[in-house]
């Protein structure tokens, strides 16, 4: 168990990094812990947003259970926690049992001098968590954001006693997730990133306070489901998503989770704004659309994968939701006006020589031309980055071939999407900078790019970084040919 009693959030994160043997980088208003060893993989980032307001973002998976005890020197600090993926456990030191914190659950707690917080992160659970720390500030307000923050906290701080720990384990709050996701997905450390964090923190905080107040009002009018039943509804939704190809009906779910059909319907209308049956249908349709976009499965195979027993009913409901029959939607993806894009990163195998990279390029150029594939390959240190674009079936075919190539491993797809045009009219190779070690070998065949790909090399939110990265690659290639 790790004990933390440093007051400054950056010092807390530094101690956590030392405990985990993780990398730690500190900037003016942020600090980043990067973990990539036997203990786990991911990032923990702390932002100093305003005086008295900090946020810690967890996007991490621990390979072993990890316990953290936090003793606050200042009991006026209040925590607003919101988890969009995974779960963890919390208790005060003087409590015997832990409370499980679920995805999308609104959680607010404080601490007292003699009652430190104990948090347990379970093993092998991908945690994506926003933790906002608010400290009472006595200085007068000088900004609009500060005024908004103080107004939002009035109701919370009015009933929190500094000498006793306070905890509020609220209901599931899906609305807050759109703000928390902005926080967790953000990986920029420049001025734009800082403004993005400030706005998202204020919105997340306001949403959690608003949901807290609304929950109190609902309790007063007698909402038909208890808090534990609402949490169970979230578990039902997760179960449906994981078993979408199975026969799912309300009687089966009622028996499995111990909730009456009436409770199930009320819970889904409360959390998702629709009946249980509509939720299952819409989830299946969204999964079906994804399979049509990113696989070569035919319509019947897609029906089987998502639990539709009738192809005609699937076609009817798909058309009602998306405005196209699934067959027409699938055909539209092969249109000459649309381009399928797939980007990935991988690690070079041990012993790879420059001659091996030359061979990869020699093999790729004619193969890509034959299949109408364009894109770009970038090599940096021991990493490959590649964008493939062209007809969807051809791109998927080429990628399957690439996956089996023994000259690299640990492939990770960064983006899969449909574009209206190609980024690269011809297949290219690019070097990242004038200092690239491959420059001399490929000086007549590659474009020099002064790009910093650190944001792509690190972090689980790679789809965001890769979009920015490839657009910069495209712009630099165009500039070099102008």
């Amino acid at each position: 168990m790790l004990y933390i009693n440093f007051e400054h959030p950056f010092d807390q994160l530094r101690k956590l990094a030392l405990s985990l043997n993780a990398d730690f980088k500190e900037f003016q208003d942020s600090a980043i812990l990067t973990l990539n060893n036997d203990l786990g993989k991911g990032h923990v980032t702390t932002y100093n947003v305003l005086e008295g307001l900090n946020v810690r973002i967890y996007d991490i998976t621990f390979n072993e259970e990890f316990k953290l005890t936090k003793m606050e020197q200042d009991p006026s600090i209040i925590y607003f926690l919101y988890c969009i993926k995974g779960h963890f456990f919390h208790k005060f030191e003087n409590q015997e049992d832990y409370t499980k914190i679920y995805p999308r659950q609104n959680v607010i707690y404080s601490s007292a001098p003699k009652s430190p917080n104990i948090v347990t992160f379970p093993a092998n659970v991908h945690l994506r968590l926003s933790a906002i720390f608010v400290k009472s500030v006595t200085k007068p307000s000088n900004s609009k954001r500060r005024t908004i923050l103080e107004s939002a906290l009035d109701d919370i701080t009015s009933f929190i006693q500094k000498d006793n720990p306070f905890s509020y384990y609220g209901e599931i709050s899906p609305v807050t997730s759109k703000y928390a996701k902005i926080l967790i997905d953000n990986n920029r450390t420049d001025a734009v990133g800082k403004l993005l964090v400030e706005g998202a923190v204020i919105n997340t905080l306001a949403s959690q306070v608003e949901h807290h107040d609304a929950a109190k009002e609902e309790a007063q009018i007698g909402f038909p489901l208890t808090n534990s039943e609402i949490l169970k509804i979230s578990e039902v939704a997760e179960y449906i998503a994981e078993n979408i190809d199975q026969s799912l009906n309300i009687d089966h779910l009622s028996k499995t989770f111990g909730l009456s059909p009436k409770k199930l319907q009320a819970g889904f209308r409360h959390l998702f704004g629709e009946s249980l049956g509509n939720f299952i249908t819409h989830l299946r349709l969204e999964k079906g659309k994804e399979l049509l976009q990113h696989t070569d499965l035919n319509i019947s195979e897609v029906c089987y994968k998502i639990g539709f027993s009738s192809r005609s009913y699937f076609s009817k409901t798909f058309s009602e939701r998306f405005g196209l029959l699934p067959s027409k939607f699938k055909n539209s993806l092969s249109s000459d006006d649309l381009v399928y894009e797939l980007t990935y990163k991988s690690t070079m195998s041990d012993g790879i020589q420059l001659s091996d990279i030359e061979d990869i390029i020699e093999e790729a150029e004619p193969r890509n031309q034959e299949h109408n594939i364009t894109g770009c390959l970038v090599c940096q240190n021991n990493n490959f980055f590649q964008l493939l674009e062209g007809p969807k079936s051809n791109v998927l075919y080429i990628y399957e071939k690439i996956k089996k190539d023994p000259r690299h491993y640990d492939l990770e797809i960064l983006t899969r999407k449909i574009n209206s045009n190609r980024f690269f009219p011809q297949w290219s190779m690019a070097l990242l900078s004038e200092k690239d070690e491959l420059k001399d070998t490929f000086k007549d065949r590659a474009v020099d790019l002064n790009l910093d790909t650190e944001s792509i090399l690190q972090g689980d939110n790679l789809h965001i970084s890769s979009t920015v990265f490839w657009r910069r690659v495209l712009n630099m290639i165009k500039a070099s040919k102008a």
Side-chain angles (χ1 to χ4, degrees), residues 138-202:
T138 57
K139 293 182 179 180
S141 301
N142 293 316
S143 72
K144 183 177 180 181
R145 287 182 186 246
R146 174 71 66 195
T147 302
I148 294 173
L149 171 63
E150 290 174 343
S151 298
L153 292 177
D154 279 347
D155 287 344
I156 296 295
T157 57
S158 63
F159 59 82
I160 293 179
Q161 298 179 359
K162 294 184 178 181
D163 294 331
N164 297 304
F166 161 84
S167 61
Y168 168 74
Y169 304 108
E171 296 181 357
I172 303 300
S173 174
V175 176
T176 307
S177 63
K178 64 180 180 180
Y179 303 120
K181 190 175 187 300
I182 294 173
L183 271 177
I184 296 171
D185 284 347
N186 177 60
N187 59 1
R188 301 182 66 156
T189 56
D190 58 4
V192 174
K194 185 175 185 297
L195 292 174
L196 182 66
V197 168
E198 286 185 12
V201 165
I202 297 298

Side-chain angles (χ1 to χ4, degrees), residues 4-16:
I4 290 181
N5 56 10
F6 293 117
E7 183 174 2
H8 196 284
F10 289 6
D11 292 332
Q12 296 170 1
L13 192 61
R14 181 181 289 105
K15 184 174 181 181
L16 179 61

Side-chain angles (χ1 to χ4, degrees), residues 9 12 52-56 70 77-79 131-135:
Q12 296 170 1
L53 176 60
N54 295 273
V55 60
R56 182 161 296 156
K70 199 162 185 292
I77 295 178
I78 308 168
Y79 297 86
I132 301 173
F133 312 157
V134 179
K135 176 182 177 182

Side-chain angles (χ1 to χ4, degrees), residues 56-90:
R56 182 161 296 156
I57 302 301
Y58 294 84
D59 194 351
I60 195 166
T61 302
F62 292 102
N63 294 335
E64 301 176 358
E65 182 182 87
F66 185 73
K67 290 187 177 182
L68 179 67
T69 296
K70 199 162 185 292
M71 173 71 81
E72 293 294 355
Q73 296 180 0
D74 186 343
S76 67
I77 295 178
I78 308 168
Y79 297 86
F80 294 80
L81 276 66
Y82 191 86
C83 185
I84 66 173
K85 185 176 182 180
H87 66 273
F88 62 100
F89 302 88
H90 171 263

